[in-house]
Amino acid sequence: MAWSETDGMVSVSKRVYSVQVRELVEFVLRRGDLGGEGFFVAPGRALAGTRGHQRVQKSRPDGYQKEVPIYYDVETSEFILRIQGRIDGLIDAPEEVALEEIKTVQDSWDGNADPLHWAQAKFYGFIYAHNHALKKIALRLTYLNLESGEMTEFRDLFSIADLSSFFEETTAIYLEWIGERHRWCEERDRSIERLEFPFPCYREGQRELAVAAYRALARGGRLFVEAATGIGKTMSVLFPALKALGEGKLERVFYLTARTVGRAVAEKAFSDLEQAGLCLRRVTLTAKEKLCVREGVRCDMSTCPFAVGYYERVKPAMREALNHGRITRPALEEVATSHQVCPFELSLDVSSWVDAIVCDYNYVFDPRVYLRRHFGEGDRDYGFLVDEAHNLPDRAREMFSAQLRSEEVEEVQRVIQKALPRCAKTLRRLTLALRKLCGSHSGRADSVQATKGAGELGLFVSEPSRSNPQVGRKPELEPNHTREEGVYTSQELPAQLMPLLEGALKEAEVWLAQNQPAVFREELLQLYFRLHSFRRTAELYDERYVTILQPDSGQVRLFCLDPSYLLRQALERGKAAIFFSATLTPIDYYRSLIGGSPEDPLLQLPSPFAPENLAVLVQDRVRTHWKARRETLEEVAQAIGALVEGRRGNYLVYFPSYQYLTDVRERFERRYPSVRMLAQHTGMTEGERETFLGAFSSEHDETLVGFAVMGGVFGEGIDLAGERLIGAVIVGVGLSQLCVERDLIRDYFQARTGAGFDYAYTFPGMNRVLQAIGRVIRSERDRGIVLLIDTRFAEPRYRRLFPEWWKPQLVRTDMGIGEAVRHFWHPRAAKGAITAR
């Protein structure tokens, strides 16, 4: 094999693949168990390592060069492999050239130099010696103990011939993988060039969406899209993303979802394109606990047969997985079982060699678990396709918030008291500090007072517009629904906790790094990560945060009110992002919360289907406020019956809470005992969810009514086309129950926008309503009917959020509902009426 240094003058017709020295060396030479000898790695270890590097570098004499960038191009007949990195330290003296590689260790280090570290040093040594025509070079491997500050040095002198031999032998293995990857990319790009839109024609608005998406993905930037359910949003953004990928404008496509059902939709779209001729390697990332093939067995890398010796078996497993092309959960489980490797780690390892990744939001945005292997080395040309983007603000608030309870700290402290007295002592101090903080709020925190009615809010908003719909009056809340009492808030970070938190983390780290087996290890490990999450969130704390204290539970929560700034930072990890949903109303509200800027383009597309295919009935005489619910349960049950009497078929009824669902279902069941019913309940397993949806798999000769909650797993993302769902009832305007967090969000945005109640309650609530309604019309052939039950649906505040293509009809009695239903379904009149008891 011919080796050549191009000094940056590469053949413009050849594709260039870049790799970091460390990445190449670890891929080729890493051996042993999953996680290695010291498999516990503290989340803050990278930062501590960086600071340790700087300490060593500062201690070196004059003339010492640090962070010296280098690269070396290996040109083959097909492509160029660019190997690059930074030398930690270099002394280029006339008598000797010495190169230093710095590593940081902890007290558990065995004192021996790691072969992988020597390999990195040898790579740097070869590249520098080759580029500067040196015959020999001195390599020094320096270890800094982060606890003691002690430095240990290993030194050796290498000839260019020895380094060259090692470099070529190691790189040859990596070149085999890159060569296969290169040939695959060429095949992939040819298939993308030939690829046609997989359906006979574009639906109305689809082409416009595809063009806008391609423009954003190819040029870079962000695009916010609201397109009605059924328009084909997934294909309209995925198809142009793949075109940009094939043209080299994107390096990889990330399809991000909020729910498991969203991943299924993405996989279906990829499959449709593959049937149309697309060649693509893609992986779907699934949570570790769901993907484990040793169900019911606690994860222990020191004993798990899928982790022990992982790196001896992973490359053949990766080859087989990549040959699948569609690396979905079943494929990963099959390959992992065959090769005895951890399926979750296998999915992460193959993700570096695929063209597209389907995963949850948190793999890109969550600071705790985002994919550092993809986002650790500067900005990359990644395209983010963010499905159901209306879910992102609340999900982001969870990602950027953290909490601690004195009880959970004290519980671990008691468990480790005898075995780890020093660590237990630090936890005891932290427990006492948490209790003291929560119990001494007077003068430092504002009590969240109970709210008994709308008049006490004092929220007056300006004249509404279509893009920012508000009503110039006080908003109505649940009349007697009180907020949590005994909860206190503060705009200040509880700084007094930080030193105690640091002490607890340090003591826990000392023991965890030893990787000793113990019955309490898992409990201490989990607490360690919660403590670290709290510390990391504290570092982000600014005016967008608030501290919530709950004395009864001894809980301190750092709550993110506005995640937009942190989301904007996370988006810098890629080149472009498309945010799309059927419900981004009002769209400028979502653009601001998701991290967009006023310059980011917006695209709103109406439904491509005939408006007359959907009947929207509004029963505005029934009050569903919290206080009125008990009094109107029978009215709601009767209204539901009036709708489903009109025609046999499948219906879904949505409620704002499980309790309300249960209360109405009981009344409905007594009134219509012959109607088949299903009900969502808390904690449903995947199997129970599948059974629920399976009942709607086809048209029945009987009526089926499913009761579900708005915003739940059946409230969005499910596709029940045709006769699988012919109607839906929405009970209430979808408002979240009043709580401390929502009220704090309201107050924060009231001060900034004058529309705090809308930001906290109205907009998210109506989003749930619109999502639920979107289950009814899924294609051109679908026809369906929707009944909205609540007096508030007649108010301008909510009517301004109705899609423009709706033609809502007021129906204020059960008889009126029945007449509207018969008129809509005529001439296909009801196949039989349900008799009320």
Side-chain angles (χ1 to χ4, degrees):
M1 178 179 293
W3 301 85
S4 66
E5 180 195 3
T6 62
D7 290 329
M9 301 297 293
V10 300
S11 304
V12 294
S13 61
K14 292 182 179 179
R15 191 190 297 259
V16 177
Y17 298 90
S18 298
V19 64
Q20 296 292 317
V21 167
R22 178 173 180 174
E23 180 184 349
L24 186 155
V25 166
E26 290 189 350
F27 179 81
V28 174
L29 300 177
R30 191 168 186 177
R31 298 289 183 269
D33 304 340
L34 185 59
E37 183 175 337
F39 63 82
F40 169 77
V41 178
R45 184 65 174 78
L47 178 59
T50 299
R51 291 172 177 168
H53 275 62
Q54 294 169 349
R55 283 175 56 190
V56 174
Q57 291 167 337
K58 289 180 180 178
S59 70
R60 296 313 185 201
D62 294 341
Y64 181 90
Q65 303 174 50
K66 58 184 180 181
E67 305 299 330
V68 181
I70 59 168
Y71 78 91
Y72 184 90
D73 286 339
V74 180
E75 184 170 3
T76 72
S77 59
E78 300 175 287
F79 59 88
I80 295 163
L81 175 63
R82 175 162 294 169
I83 304 170
Q84 54 195 15
R86 288 181 178 272
I87 300 172
D88 289 335
L90 178 71
I91 296 180
D92 192 347
E95 62 276 11
E96 182 182 68
V97 177
L99 180 154
E100 181 175 44
E101 177 69 8
I102 303 169
K103 300 296 179 183
T104 54
V105 295
Q106 296 175 304
D107 285 338
S108 56
W109 178 53
D110 62 6
N112 295 316
D114 190 324
L116 288 179
H117 298 162
W118 268 126
Q120 284 182 249
K122 289 179 181 179
F123 260 62
Y124 290 134
F126 165 74
I127 296 173
Y128 190 86
H130 185 278
N131 291 352
H132 294 81
L134 303 176
K135 294 183 178 180
K136 59 183 179 180
I137 189 170
L139 302 182
R140 182 166 62 196
L141 190 55
T142 300
Y143 287 91
L144 171 67
N145 188 310
L146 292 174
E147 278 79 30
S148 67
E150 180 183 355
M151 284 193 290
T152 304
E153 297 180 357
F154 300 88
R155 187 182 186 281
D156 207 342
L157 189 65
F158 291 88
S159 69
I160 185 62
D162 289 340
L163 293 176
S164 178
S165 176
F166 176 78
F167 180 87
E168 291 189 19
E169 180 181 344
T170 305
T171 307
I173 298 173
Y174 194 80
L175 278 171
E176 291 179 12
W177 282 78
I178 288 294
E180 196 279 333
R181 173 70 181 161
H182 172 75
R183 290 184 288 275
W184 167 261
C185 287
E186 289 194 322
E187 179 183 353
R188 176 202 69 192
D189 293 349
R190 287 193 294 269
S191 76
I192 292 175
E193 185 178 7
R194 298 189 300 266
L195 187 65
E196 300 289 340
F197 197 70
F199 304 116
C201 61
Y202 286 92
R203 284 176 176 166
E204 183 180 349
Q206 264 193 310
R207 184 183 293 275
E208 183 181 355
L209 172 52
V211 170
Y214 175 82
R215 185 179 298 117
L217 292 164
R219 297 177 181 176
R222 296 178 288 265
L223 171 67
F224 294 82
V225 179
E226 182 182 50
T229 298
I231 200 172
K233 295 183 292 296
T234 299
M235 189 61 70
S236 298
V237 298
L238 185 56
F239 183 72
L242 294 175
K243 287 293 185 180
L245 177 72
E247 295 168 359
K249 294 180 172 63
L250 290 178
E251 179 182 343
R252 185 170 288 120
V253 174
F254 287 79
Y255 192 103
L256 308 177
T257 71
R259 302 173 185 268
T260 302
V261 66
R263 295 197 287 274
V265 170
E267 289 178 347
K268 173 65 166 57
F270 276 114
S271 294
D272 289 340
L273 290 166
E274 287 157 357
Q275 291 176 10
L278 172 67
C279 294
L280 195 80
R281 285 174 172 170
R282 56 182 169 92
V283 64
T284 301
L285 300 183
T286 305
K288 186 175 184 178
E289 59 272 13
K290 292 184 178 180
L291 198 55
C292 182
V293 294
R294 305 181 73 218
E295 189 173 351
V297 179
R298 186 173 65 88
C299 182
D300 184 351
M301 288 192 290
S302 64
T303 60
C304 176
F306 290 79
V308 176
Y310 173 87
Y311 289 104
E312 312 298 332
R313 303 183 298 272
V314 68
K315 287 188 180 63
M318 289 175 62
R319 288 189 185 278
E320 183 176 339
L322 291 170
N323 287 336
H324 274 265
R326 308 174 185 181
I327 312 173
T328 57
R329 177 175 175 176
L332 284 166
E333 291 172 343
E334 176 188 339
V335 173
T337 302
S338 173
H339 291 270
Q340 292 286 287
V341 295
C342 172
F344 178 71
E345 292 295 332
L346 175 63
S347 70
L348 297 181
D349 283 333
V350 299
S351 71
S352 298
W353 299 87
V354 299
D355 313 304
I357 298 173
V358 180
C359 61
D360 188 88
Y361 293 161
N362 58 9
Y363 287 103
V364 171
F365 300 116
D366 194 329
R368 293 166 294 187
V369 298
Y370 76 90
L371 297 171
R372 286 169 174 79
R373 67 182 64 211
H374 292 289
F375 308 126
E377 295 289 342
D379 301 337
R380 307 288 289 270
D381 287 338
Y382 295 146
F384 301 139
L385 308 182
V386 187
D387 192 10
E388 302 292 2
H390 61 273
N391 286 307
L392 188 53
D394 281 342
R395 281 289 304 276
R397 286 190 177 103
E398 295 175 13
M399 295 175 192
F400 301 133
S401 299
Q403 63 187 36
L404 279 180
R405 287 189 302 111
S406 61
E407 291 180 359
E408 65 182 348
V409 180
E410 185 177 29
E411 183 178 346
V412 176
Q413 174 236 318
R414 287 198 303 265
V415 172
I416 68 172
Q417 184 69 55
K418 293 183 179 179
L420 304 174
R422 289 185 57 179
C423 186
K425 187 176 182 179
T426 62
L427 295 182
R428 175 63 176 165
R429 290 173 177 167
L430 181 59
T431 299
L432 293 174
L434 287 168
R435 289 177 176 170
K436 181 179 180 181
L437 178 65
C438 290
S440 60
H441 47 76
S442 298
R444 291 186 298 105
D446 302 318
S447 175
V448 178
Q449 301 297 327
T451 299
K452 292 184 180 286
E456 299 177 24
L457 285 175
L459 298 184
F460 292 88
V461 293
S462 58
E463 184 66 19
S465 67
R466 175 75 189 166
S467 62
N468 189 16
Q470 305 156 18
V471 179
R473 64 176 182 81
K474 299 176 185 178
E476 185 175 10
L477 294 184
E478 306 288 352
N480 74 336
H481 193 153
T482 61
R483 302 179 204 160
E484 302 169 52
E485 296 188 35
V487 177
Y488 302 87
T489 66
S490 171
Q491 296 294 325
E492 297 180 0
L493 174 71
Q496 62 269 46
L497 292 180
M498 296 303 109
L500 301 173
L501 197 69
E502 292 289 347
L505 283 167
K506 183 176 180 180
E507 286 297 331
E509 262 181 43
V510 170
W511 185 82
L512 289 170
Q514 298 173 16
N515 293 295
Q516 297 178 9
V519 292
F520 56 77
R521 177 180 173 81
E522 188 63 25
E523 288 81 357
L524 180 58
L525 185 64
Q526 293 304 315
L527 177 61
Y528 174 88
F529 285 121
R530 285 196 292 274
L531 296 177
H532 183 272
S533 176
F534 194 91
R535 180 177 67 179
R536 185 205 65 247
T537 304
E539 293 171 351
L540 302 173
Y541 200 100
D542 58 13
E543 69 277 5
R544 303 172 187 88
Y545 276 83
V546 67
T547 301
I548 303 174
L549 308 176
Q550 293 180 296
D552 289 346
S553 61
Q555 177 175 286
V556 178
R557 187 176 189 196
L558 308 181
F559 181 61
C560 180
L561 298 164
D562 180 3
S564 59
Y565 174 71
L566 296 172
L567 284 174
R568 191 176 304 118
Q569 287 185 322
L571 289 171
E572 295 301 319
R573 295 169 184 151
K575 174 182 178 180
I578 310 295
F579 299 93
F580 56 101
S581 170
T583 54
L584 287 183
T585 300
I587 197 167
D588 53 351
Y589 155 78
Y590 281 101
R591 177 174 62 179
S592 65
L593 274 189
I594 292 173
S597 63
E599 295 76 30
D600 294 331
L602 307 173
L603 179 62
Q604 292 178 281
L605 299 171
S607 172
F609 310 132
E612 56 267 23
N613 284 0
L614 177 68
V616 179
L617 311 182
V618 180
Q619 213 305 10
D620 67 342
R621 291 297 179 88
V622 178
R623 294 172 60 84
T624 71
H625 303 79
W626 187 81
K627 183 178 180 180
R629 287 177 185 175
R630 183 63 57 181
E631 303 168 0
T632 58
L633 293 175
E634 290 291 344
E635 292 181 66
V636 173
Q638 289 176 220
I640 297 169
L643 182 79
V644 303
E645 276 185 319
R647 179 187 171 189
R648 295 188 185 275
N650 298 337
Y651 297 84
L652 280 171
V653 184
Y654 293 98
F655 297 85
S657 72
Y658 283 103
Q659 185 59 56
Y660 198 12
L661 180 156
T662 300
D663 292 341
V664 173
R665 182 184 59 79
E666 290 174 353
R667 269 71 174 180
F668 185 85
E669 189 173 18
R670 287 200 295 267
R671 196 168 267 279
Y672 304 102
S674 63
V675 176
R676 184 184 174 199
M677 287 179 291
L678 294 173
Q680 180 183 356
H681 62 82
T682 58
M684 291 182 78
T685 65
E686 285 191 30
E688 288 174 325
R689 295 174 187 173
E690 291 173 1
T691 299
F692 187 100
L693 287 178
F696 292 82
S697 60
S698 61
E699 180 183 6
H700 300 281
D701 292 331
E702 59 181 357
T703 291
L704 171 64
V705 179
F707 291 79
V709 292
M710 281 183 271
V713 292
F714 306 122
E716 59 182 80
I718 60 173
D719 192 3
L720 300 174
E723 298 294 321
R724 296 180 64 189
L725 186 68
I726 66 169
V729 181
I730 316 299
V731 184
V733 292
L735 293 186
S736 299
Q737 291 189 2
L738 294 178
C739 63
V740 172
E741 289 83 359
R742 282 286 155 190
D743 284 349
L744 290 169
I745 294 170
R746 180 205 63 195
D747 296 342
Y748 174 88
F749 284 104
Q750 178 66 19
R752 286 157 180 78
T753 69
F757 184 82
D758 286 337
Y759 270 60
Y761 290 101
T762 307
F763 297 159
M766 274 301 293
N767 194 289
R768 298 184 188 100
V769 171
L770 296 173
Q771 278 290 326
I773 294 171
R775 302 313 101 205
V776 178
I777 300 295
R778 310 296 297 180
S779 71
E780 298 92 336
R781 297 179 299 276
D782 285 4
R783 298 185 76 238
I785 192 163
V786 169
L787 173 63
L788 307 179
I789 303 176
D790 196 298
T791 56
R792 289 168 290 189
F793 282 122
E795 297 177 5
R797 174 183 294 276
Y798 294 97
R799 292 297 286 258
R800 285 187 172 89
L801 297 174
F802 285 10
E804 291 183 348
W805 58 274
W806 278 9
K807 297 179 180 178
Q809 175 184 351
L810 287 178
V811 285
R812 292 174 168 169
T813 64
D814 295 343
M815 183 178 296
I817 294 173
E819 290 177 356
V821 170
R822 285 189 291 274
H823 177 75
F824 177 74
W825 291 118
H826 184 79
R828 295 184 299 166
K831 299 178 182 178
I834 302 170
T835 303
R837 185 173 67 181

